[in-house]
Amino acid sequence: MDWWNKESKEVGQSLGTSLGNGLSLEEAKKRLMENGKNLLHQEGTNAGIVRRFFAQFNDFMIMLLLVAAAVSFGVSYLNGEKEFIDSIIIIAIVVLNALLGVIQESKAQKALEALKKMSAPKAVVLRGGMRTEIPAEDVVVGDIMLLETGGYICADGRVIESRGLKTEESAITGESLAVEKETCIFPKETALGDRKNMVLSGSFVLGGSGRAVAVATGMDTEIGRIANLLAEQEDQETPLQKKLGETGKTLGMGALVICAVIFAMGLLRQEPAFSMFMTSVSLAVAAIPEGLPAIVTIVLAIGMQRMSKKNTIIRRLPAVETLGSASVICSDKTGTLTQNKMKVVKLADYGKKKDDEKRQLILTLFSLCNDCHREKEKLVGEPTERALAEAAEEGGIAIEDVQQEMPREGEIPFSSERKMMTTLHAMGDGTWMTVTKGAPDILFERCDKCLDGHNQVHFDSNKKSKARMQNGEMAAGALRVVAVAFREWKKKPDLSKEDSIECDMVFVGMAGMIDPPRPEVAGAVLLCKKAGIRPVMITGDHALTAQAIATQLGIYEKGDTCITGQELSKLSDEELEKAAAHCTVFARVAPEHKVRIVKAYQKDGSVVAMTGDGVNDAPALKAADIGCAMGKSGTEVAKGAADMILTDDNFATIVEAVREGRGIYDNIRKAVHFLLSSNIGEIITIFAAMCFGWATPLLPIQLLWVNLVTDSLPAIALGMDPVEGDCMERPPRQRESTLFGGGLGGKIMVEGMMIGMLALLAFAIGHIYFDDEKMYVTGRTMAFAVLSISQLIHAFNMRSEHSLLSIRPFENTWLVGAFLIGIVLQVGVIMIQPLATVFKVAPLGIWEWLIVAGLACLPLPIVELEKWKDRKLERRRQKKEYVIL
Ligand code: ATP
C-alpha cells in the first residue's frame, strides 16, 4: 500500500483506528491473535521434550556407549547367555543421563528465555486513548505509536505528527544522516529513502518527538523483507564456553589415547578382548569431560537468574564472565551516583543587594523555559526541570500561568552536548523573546548584556568574573547550577539556526540545586576500592560540583585528578591514556568523549564497565567491555547497545553485579575442578591397576554408574554455591588469565591421583583381606564405593580455597542434597541384593564399610594440608615482594 500518498485521516480510516485514541484494548488483542506477533524471525518453536531427549543421543560419548551395549548384547547372544544385564544397564544409564541432560537444559533455557523477555524492546502506543508501554512484539497494525528521542521504531508507520522528529534509518535504507520527518503527502513513486512521512521498523528516533500509525508489522515491514538476508544471529557462546569446549575436546582425545593404550596392554596380557573392549569404552566415557560446556551454561544461566533478582538484567551471556574481571567502573553521576532528586536551594545573580524583583524575573524565565507540565495537581517532568518549576511555585509563580501569558511557539531542546535549551515565546505585542537556560560557563560566553535594575547593561569582564565566582562557590558546595538568559526579537527568529539564536543574550541569573548522593553508594565505592576496582565519575556537570560529590562518595581522593571535556578534547590518545591513570572525575564531558575514555583505560589493560542512558551513549556502551544501560531513565537504543541493564539505575547495583560475576566465575572453576579431578581419579584407578598387573578394579557398568550418576549432581550443586565472603577482597582477575591459572591444573592432577590411589587401596584391602583368592568381588565393591563416595566428599573441598573450618561447609544446601542423594544411591546399589547382583557387587559388612568410610573421608585432611601449604607459600611470596619493595 502506498500509505505515503494518503492523508493521515484516510490512513486512520482504512486501518480502522482513531488517530486521537488509537485502537481499543479488545481490538488490539483481536488483531494480535489474528495477525500474530510483531517479530522478524519467527522464533524457532521450542523443540518438544521428546526431540530434545533424542537430541541427547547425538553425542560421541553416548554413541560409544550404545555401540558398547550392542557389542555386549552380541557377545552375550553368541555365548548363548539368556540374560543381557550389561546391555540393559548400559542403556538404562544412557537413558537416565539423557533425562538428566534434558532437565538441565530446559532449566537453563527457561532461565535464559525469561531474561530475554525482561530485556526485550518496548514500544509506547495509544490504546483506548491511554499512553501504554507494551512489548514491541505486541504492536499491531493500526496502533498509534508515540515516538520519543532514543526510542526504537518497531513497525513501519505513517507519520501523523512531527515535532522536530528525526530518525536514523541507516540499517534499512543505508542513509547515514538523520532524516527529518514530515506529515505532508508524497507522490506515489517516491523512493523508500525519500518517503519522509513514513517511519521504518528497525530505525530509531534521534531527536524530537511525534506520532505514527503502524501500517505494517513483523515480516511485512521493509526490514522484514530484507530480514532473511540479514539473518544476523548474535553469537551468544561465551569465550569461556568456547575455550572449555576446546579443552574438553583435547582432554577427551587424551583420554581416548589412554583408553587405547589400556586396551592394547590388556590384549598383550592376554585378557579377553571383549572384556578389555568394554573396560576401555567405559573408561573413555568416564574420562571424557563431555559435560564441561554444559556445566558452564547451566552455571551462567543460574547466575544470570540470581542477578536478575538483584536489579541486573544480563543481555549478553559473555558479560557475566567479563564482569568478574572488571577493573574500572565509569559511572554517570546524576541518578546513578546521586538520587536525581533535585531541589533548588539557592538563587544567585551578580547583583549587590538582595533584589526581590530580580528573583521573580529569574523564576519567571525558568518557568517559561521549562518542559514540566501538571498532572493531577503534581508537576511532572525531568528532575532538573521540575526542581526549577517547584522553586518558581514556592516563589508564587505557577508555570501554566506564565506559559499561557507568553505561549511557547518553538524550542531548541536540551542536549548533553550543548548543555542548554531554548524556548521561543510570543510577547503579545508582535515581538518575540527567546529564553535560554543551561550550564553557566556556556551561557556566560553567549551573553553580552546583563540587567541593572530594568536596564540592560554591558556584561563586562568585571561582572562576568563576579558571576563566575558565584557559580564556582555554588558548584564547590556540590550544587548543580543552571543559568538563565533571554533575548528579544522584533521578528520571529528561525530556530533551526541554533548558533545565531543562542548568542548576544541578556544574562539574568542562576539557580543552584542539591542532588543528594544515593546513601548506598559510598559503601559500594569502598567495596570497589578494596576489590582493586577503580570507580570513575563521568558527568556533564561542572568540575567543582563533580569533585565535591565525588569527594563525598570517596571516589575522588587526595592525589586524584579531574579532567574536563574541554581539556580532554585537546589531549592526544596517548596523553589521555597517561592522564586517565590518575583521573577519577571527568566533568563537563559530552557523550562522544566517553568512547575515548573507555579506550584510554582499555589500552592499559583495564576491563571497563561504563554506564549510559542516551542515544549518544550507545557507541561508548558498545566499546566498553561491559556496557550498562539504565533501566528506568535509559533509552531503548542505549539498552539495545548494552550488555546489561540496571533496573534501578544504581551504581551500587553494578558493584553487586561484579561481586556476582566473580562468584559465578569461581563456581565455574569449582565445577570444572571437581569434574576433572574426578575423571582423572577414574582413569588413574584403571590405568594404574593395569600397570601394576592387577585385575581390573572396577567393572564397566560400575565405572558408568560413578561417572553418570554420582558426578554430575555435585558439579551442578557447586555451580550454585553462594558467593564467597572474601571475593571482593582480591584484585580483579587478569583479562588474559586462564581458567586453569593459579595452579588449578596441578591441583586437579594431584587430587585426581589421590582419588585413584584411594580406590586402588580399597581394592587391594578388599581383595587381600576379604576375598578368596582369585575372587575380586569384595575388592571391587570397596573400590566402587570408595571411588564414588570419596568424590562426593571431595566436592566439599571445592567450596573454598580456604580451610573448610574457616567457612560454613554445609551452607550450600544443594551440595548437601547432592551428597545425600549420591550416598543413598551408592549404598542402595551395594546393599539391596537385586541391585547388587545387577552391578556385580556384594553387600559389604560393617568392617568393610568402616574401611570404605575411612578411605573415602581422606580427601578432606589431604586437601586441607594442600591448602595449608598453598597459604604458606602465598604468605612467603607476599613477604618476598614486600622485601623487594
Ligand atoms: P550525568 O548524568 O552524565 O552525570 P548530568 O546529567 O549532570 O551528567 P547533563 O544532563 O548533561 O549532565 O547536564 C550538564 C549541565 O547542563 C548541567 O550541569 C546543567 O548546568 C545543564 N542542564 C542540565 N539539565 C538541564 C536542563 N534541563 N535545561 C538546561 N540546562 C540543563
Side-chain angles (χ1 to χ4, degrees), residues 262-287:
I262 289 180
F263 184 66
M265 276 168 73
L267 289 187
L268 282 180
R269 283 179 37 195
Q270 292 176 341
E271 300 271 350
F274 167 64
S275 85
M276 273 330 292
F277 170 76
M278 291 301 283
T279 304
S280 318
V281 167
S282 315
L283 186 61
V285 171

Side-chain angles (χ1 to χ4, degrees), residues 332-334 385 414 416 437-439 480-481 539-541 588:
D332 283 340
K333 172 179 71 68
T334 310
E385 304 277 319
F414 175 78
S416 295
K437 79 174 194 301
R480 177 184 180 85
V481 191
T539 177
D541 239 333
R588 279 280 186 258

Side-chain angles (χ1 to χ4, degrees), residues 331-338 340 342 366 369 371 382 384-385 388 414-421 436-441 480-483 515 537-542 545 588-591 594 613 617:
S331 170
D332 283 340
K333 172 179 71 68
T334 310
T336 313
L337 295 169
T338 65
N340 208 1
M342 310 270 176
F366 273 135
C369 182
D371 281 338
E382 193 268 331
T384 307
E385 304 277 319
L388 292 168
F414 175 78
S415 81
S416 295
E417 284 89 2
R418 300 184 323 108
K419 297 189 172 47
M420 56 183 168
M421 72 178 270
T436 302
K437 79 174 194 301
D441 28 334
R480 177 184 180 85
V481 191
V482 180
D515 177 14
M537 175 190 278
I538 298 188
T539 177
D541 239 333
H542 193 282
T545 314
R588 279 280 186 258
V589 291
K594 283 186 168 181
D613 48 14
D617 288 334

Side-chain angles (χ1 to χ4, degrees), residues 559-794:
D560 291 346
T561 55
C562 164
I563 300 179
T564 63
Q566 221 176 6
E567 290 161 353
L568 195 152
S569 315
K570 288 185 200 139
L571 296 177
S572 70
D573 285 347
E574 288 73 38
E575 285 166 335
L576 178 61
E577 195 191 323
K578 266 193 212 132
H582 307 285
C583 176
T584 48
V585 175
F586 289 90
R588 279 280 186 258
V589 291
E592 74 259 19
H593 292 136
K594 283 186 168 181
V595 177
R596 286 193 64 201
I597 297 173
V598 168
K599 294 209 165 134
Y601 281 119
Q602 280 173 335
K603 263 233 178 99
D604 78 355
S606 301
V607 174
V608 186
M610 164 74 86
T611 65
D613 48 14
V615 179
N616 301 340
D617 288 334
L621 291 175
K622 277 204 178 128
D625 299 284
I626 309 145
C628 317
M630 300 298 152
K632 282 193 197 156
S633 63
T635 56
E636 287 295 314
V637 172
K639 288 182 199 168
D643 299 297
M644 61 185 229
I645 300 174
L646 309 173
T647 54
D648 61 352
D649 295 11
N650 190 344
F651 175 81
T653 302
I654 313 177
V655 182
E656 181 57 31
V658 169
R659 203 177 83 91
E660 282 290 338
R662 288 187 176 193
I664 290 171
Y665 193 83
D666 284 350
N667 286 355
I668 292 176
R669 253 172 83 107
K670 291 176 200 171
V672 169
H673 183 169
F674 173 72
L675 273 181
L676 291 185
S677 54
S678 301
N679 282 1
I680 289 177
E682 287 150 25
I683 298 186
I684 300 251
T685 312
I686 303 291
F687 190 62
M690 190 62 75
C691 294
F692 299 157
W694 293 4
T696 177
L698 282 147
L699 296 176
I701 45 171
Q702 296 165 354
L703 266 176
L704 293 180
W705 171 265
V706 174
N707 180 57
L708 296 180
V709 182
T710 50
D711 269 12
S712 34
L713 281 182
I716 297 174
L718 280 170
M720 302 205 205
D721 228 15
V723 180
E724 250 193 284
D726 70 341
C727 97
M728 289 298 265
E729 277 161 31
R730 12 176 167 114
R733 176 165 49 86
Q734 293 290 312
R735 195 192 273 271
E736 60 279 353
S737 74
T738 70
L739 191 72
F740 296 98
L744 186 62
K747 275 187 203 154
I748 289 175
M749 283 307 293
V750 170
E751 289 162 21
M753 271 203 261
M754 165 189 78
I755 289 174
M757 290 303 162
L758 290 175
L760 281 175
L761 202 57
F763 178 61
I765 294 175
H767 174 61
I768 295 169
Y769 294 103
F770 301 99
D771 272 329
D772 296 335
E773 215 181 326
K774 298 260 186 245
M775 289 286 285
Y776 297 100
V777 66
T778 314
R780 281 189 181 134
T781 310
M782 284 173 69
F784 180 38
V786 167
L787 187 64
S788 74
I789 298 175
S790 66
Q791 287 179 14
L792 289 172
I793 289 178
H794 182 48

